Amino acid sequence: MHLLHQRGPLHYLPDTQEAYDTVLADVVEQALARITPEGSLEHPDAADDIGDTSLGVTSLLALAWQRGKDPRLPEAVRRSLAFHLGERVHTEDNPGYPNLTIRDSGLPHARYVLAPGAHPIGDWPSTVWALLQAVNVLDLSDGLVDHEQRAVVVELAKGYWRWLTEATFFNPQEAGNQAIGCVVGGLMLARHLPPEEGEGVRERALALYTDRIRAHRVLDRGALLPPEHGGAYDNNYGPISLSFLAQAHRISGEEMFAEDGHALARYIDARLPNGGFDNGGPRYSEQHSGFESVLGLRYFGARIGADLGRYRGDTRWGRHAVGPDGAVDGHFAFMLVWQIQDATRWHRTPSKNPARHQLRAGTVSVAFDQRMTPSLVEAAGTYYLPAAVNRQHGFGPVVDGFLLSRPMGEVRVRDLESDGLSAKLVTKPVVGRDHVLRHVRSLYVTDGTSLWTTVAVERLDGTPYLLAGLPYATDDGDRVRRTAEAAVTSAGPLTLTHPRADGVDHFDARSETTQELAAFALAADPRGYGNPDEGWRHLVASTALEAGPAPGAPQDLHVFAVRYGSPGPLAPTFADTPAGLTIRTEAFTALIGNPAGDDRGEPALELRR
């Protein structure tokens, strides 16, 4: 089975102006065939996320007219705009909406679901999206909209802004993408207001970003990130936040948006493997955005010199939102407008700067979590997640059912490139159930095709093994396919085990249950509201690669050696010297220093062919 949303890298989509004109031409024909006598451009099957959709298609028609002057479009724009103004603007409170700070304000808002009281919690983001569609229409209205209708749209946008910032709590869902989007709406609206009024809106928008978003960023993997639905990053909404930061910087020139965009972009670059597969997040574990991410990934990828376009989006939404039948839906259409207006092109080569939380070369990559434990390993097109044993998750030595991966002190990291090899040494102090402090030294070496992992730790009692990952998915053309197989070789005995018990908290990679489905089943809240990352942490056991100790290790050490991505024997030799542990394989010789490190406590690392 293929994963539903992990599809092709976004930079596969042509992004020339000619390609965008083709996209807009298709939208125009669909819209002209769909428009109702009342002027609606909504998808006929749309039920939720609907409050901004007709207006979104209107903005795309306005952009198409500005670029091609199709004589059929002015009347369609005026009619569809009249439909939104007459039928999709709500000024009475939505029954049951819980986040009002002023009742019966009379200010306009957009509805997530049209029926009163039906899922009102979505009205705040729907109003953000409607505000953004409206300011895009204002930007594109020259020659299309008469003065009277344009003045009504200005007043509507002002009303949306006031409802979002005065009549309700700001960012009630604690969703960074929604909050930054609201700020962008204020910044864009300010340009259409008289100078004094516009400056007040601009200052309010910047203050909201500084005080209500930036001041509450969450630290993950060394980066401060806008919080997203209760977590630091979500692989659906995180790149959307990056797009909002890009637009905020484009229209305001404020350096703080560039700084925060650079931080988020470098974070995404570090957590993404070469193939662009990603999973994890506080809202959608495996559901990726498509066109909504393009602006941010492209804009900031170029600014930091990284190939962020390798991100696997849901290319069914590669150009714009679509319904189940593939027909255009106007939801989030403002993002397509902005990415067409932005002249940045994809930066297609990897960043050459070493990243603490990633090792990457050729077709091999390792992404590390906050504790410098691998969160994702990629080799030969296969992706490995952290495995689970006895409710503990990660990669690392296991003794008597206890995983030695959680640091009890500072984690040291050394990066090195030599003779066409890239390496990272991670040294962690850990404490087992016996309360004995040990130093786990993990060396990761790649030639761009295979990944060698060598883990050394003070000798353990019992029958220890290395928990070496959960094979989960593999590239299959433009798709990602579930797998339970692995091209992995170990110097010691290697077994691929599967949970013996049934139940959703025992994840068997041979089943058709995806990580996301299992994570939501274990989460405390319903799907779409709960935190699947938090649910996944309740996993008791999983399919796992278990590698026994390598023969020939020094008597006072257990050493585990595993190679990902290529078959054949693996027979390293080891030598304990005053300088540290020497490891010789068929591809390299490495020296990893003693745990005490140098005069600053930093571990030594040497590497050669």
Side-chain angles (χ1 to χ4, degrees):
M1 60 173 288
H2 289 106
L3 297 179
L4 186 61
H5 299 275
Q6 301 271 353
R7 294 177 181 249
L10 289 176
H11 64 206
Y12 281 6
L13 297 166
D15 62 348
T16 64
Q17 290 304 303
E18 292 78 12
Y20 281 131
D21 282 334
T22 300
V23 172
L24 287 175
D26 176 58
V27 170
V28 166
E29 296 307 322
Q30 288 194 51
L32 293 179
R34 172 188 298 171
I35 192 167
T36 66
E38 297 78 19
S40 172
L41 290 169
E42 292 167 354
H43 190 288
D45 294 330
D48 54 21
D49 255 332
I50 195 173
D52 69 304
T53 61
S54 183
L55 190 58
V57 179
T58 303
S59 72
L60 292 175
L61 298 184
L63 178 61
W65 187 83
Q66 296 292 352
R67 292 166 71 88
K69 297 298 187 288
D70 185 330
R72 300 174 297 172
L73 295 181
E75 176 62 21
V77 168
R78 288 191 288 269
R79 284 176 57 203
S80 60
L81 190 53
F83 168 79
H84 181 83
L85 295 173
E87 303 295 333
R88 293 295 177 259
V89 176
H90 300 269
T91 55
E92 70 285 357
D93 293 351
N94 197 354
Y97 186 71
N99 297 315
L100 293 174
T101 58
I102 300 174
R103 292 192 58 189
D104 301 319
S105 68
L107 294 170
H109 66 274
R111 297 252 170 113
Y112 178 78
V113 176
L114 295 179
H119 204 88
I121 196 71
D123 289 357
W124 202 87
S126 288
T127 304
V128 173
W129 314 149
L131 169 61
L132 293 170
Q133 314 282 26
V135 291
N136 271 351
V137 168
L138 291 175
D139 282 353
L140 298 165
S141 62
D142 288 348
L144 277 173
V145 177
D146 61 37
H147 177 75
E148 181 179 351
Q149 197 175 42
R150 188 182 188 283
V152 174
V153 177
V154 170
E155 289 302 311
L156 173 64
K158 286 169 57 178
Y160 282 155
W161 171 252
R162 290 188 59 199
W163 188 85
L164 291 164
T165 60
E166 297 176 20
T168 68
F169 289 99
F170 180 77
N171 190 21
Q173 295 185 22
E174 297 182 355
N177 75 97
Q178 299 172 10
I180 304 170
C182 182
V183 167
V184 170
L187 294 173
M188 294 183 70
L189 170 64
R191 303 183 303 178
H192 295 285
L193 302 177
E196 184 175 346
E197 185 180 9
E199 186 57 29
V201 171
R202 175 186 167 90
E203 289 179 358
R204 173 67 169 149
L206 294 175
L208 285 169
Y209 183 77
T210 301
D211 300 338
R212 303 295 298 276
I213 302 172
R214 203 177 200 216
H216 298 280
R217 288 174 297 169
V218 179
L219 181 68
D220 186 37
R221 307 185 196 192
L224 285 171
L225 309 172
E228 190 57 67
H229 285 288
Y233 176 83
D234 182 281
N235 65 9
N236 178 39
Y237 292 126
I240 296 176
S241 284
L242 191 65
S243 287
F244 282 129
L245 288 170
Q247 181 67 359
H249 185 247
R250 289 180 66 237
I251 63 174
S252 75
E254 292 288 337
E255 189 60 24
M256 64 180 174
F257 296 121
E259 292 172 359
D260 295 354
H262 292 163
L264 179 52
R266 291 190 180 99
Y267 172 90
I268 292 173
D269 190 34
R271 73 176 286 142
L272 270 188
N274 299 288
F277 170 85
D278 191 15
N279 85 306
R283 187 69 181 270
Y284 294 116
S285 288
E286 293 178 349
Q287 294 195 33
H288 279 202
S289 49
F291 77 99
E292 313 101 309
S293 301
V294 167
L295 175 65
L297 295 170
R298 198 172 68 192
Y299 186 83
F300 284 110
R303 290 180 66 92
I304 69 170
D307 57 334
L308 298 185
R310 69 188 190 276
Y311 178 93
R312 282 188 182 269
D314 191 335
T315 49
R316 294 171 300 181
W317 282 39
R319 298 303 195 181
H320 46 68
V322 298
D325 59 357
V328 64
D329 185 304
H331 182 53
F332 250 67
F334 49 83
M335 282 293 188
L336 178 58
V337 172
W338 299 341
Q339 67 175 269
I340 293 175
Q341 292 173 333
D342 179 53
T344 307
R345 301 278 69 86
W346 287 114
H347 181 96
R348 295 182 178 275
T349 56
S351 171
K352 297 184 183 302
N353 299 322
R356 176 179 173 90
H357 293 90
Q358 186 189 66
L359 174 68
R360 181 182 176 205
T363 58
V364 171
S365 53
V366 185
F368 296 87
D369 65 15
Q370 181 80 359
R371 296 174 170 180
M372 289 306 298
T373 296
S375 61
L376 187 66
V377 171
E378 174 197 24
T382 296
Y383 303 97
Y384 303 84
L385 304 181
V389 57
N390 293 338
R391 302 183 187 275
Q392 304 157 95
H393 300 198
F395 290 74
V398 176
V399 57
D400 294 333
F402 188 82
L403 175 62
L404 298 171
S405 70
R406 291 167 299 282
M408 292 291 288
E410 191 66 25
V411 180
R412 311 277 186 151
V413 179
R414 289 292 297 270
D415 286 280
L416 183 64
E417 293 194 4
S418 175
D419 295 334
L421 301 169
S422 299
K424 188 184 293 286
L425 174 63
V426 177
T427 301
K428 291 183 185 181
V430 300
V431 175
R433 293 196 190 279
D434 57 6
H435 291 231
V436 174
L437 180 70
R438 295 177 175 86
H439 292 84
V440 176
R441 291 174 287 170
S442 301
L443 175 66
Y444 305 88
V445 179
T446 180
D447 60 359
T449 302
S450 301
L451 172 70
W452 289 262
T453 299
T454 308
V455 178
V457 63
E458 289 90 343
R459 197 156 192 88
L460 302 165
D461 295 330
T463 55
Y465 63 90
L466 181 72
L467 193 65
L470 156 65
Y472 179 68
T474 189
D475 290 337
D476 185 13
D478 288 345
R479 300 293 300 275
V480 178
R481 176 172 49 83
R482 279 291 311 282
T483 189
E485 300 176 353
V488 176
T489 300
S490 172
L494 179 68
T495 56
L496 180 63
T497 66
H498 303 285
R500 296 179 180 178
D502 295 327
V504 70
D505 56 355
H506 290 73
F507 187 82
D508 192 327
R510 298 169 298 182
S511 74
E512 292 192 355
T513 300
T514 64
Q515 184 271 348
E516 182 182 71
L517 290 174
F520 266 120
L522 292 167
D525 298 301
R527 179 177 175 83
Y529 302 93
N531 185 334
D533 271 7
E534 189 176 86
W536 187 251
R537 284 192 284 270
H538 293 300
L539 199 69
V540 174
S542 74
T543 293
L545 286 161
E546 299 179 359
Q555 288 189 350
D556 60 339
L557 295 176
H558 267 122
V559 180
F560 308 89
V562 172
R563 186 180 63 229
Y564 300 82
S566 58
L570 177 61
T573 61
F574 310 99
D576 203 3
T577 70
L581 177 66
T582 298
I583 304 160
R584 291 185 176 88
T585 74
E586 76 285 2
F588 63 86
T589 298
L591 171 72
I592 57 176
N594 292 316
D598 59 17
D599 56 359
R600 295 181 297 112
E602 295 295 333
L605 174 60
E606 298 178 9
L607 181 67
R608 66 179 186 274
R609 287 281 187 177

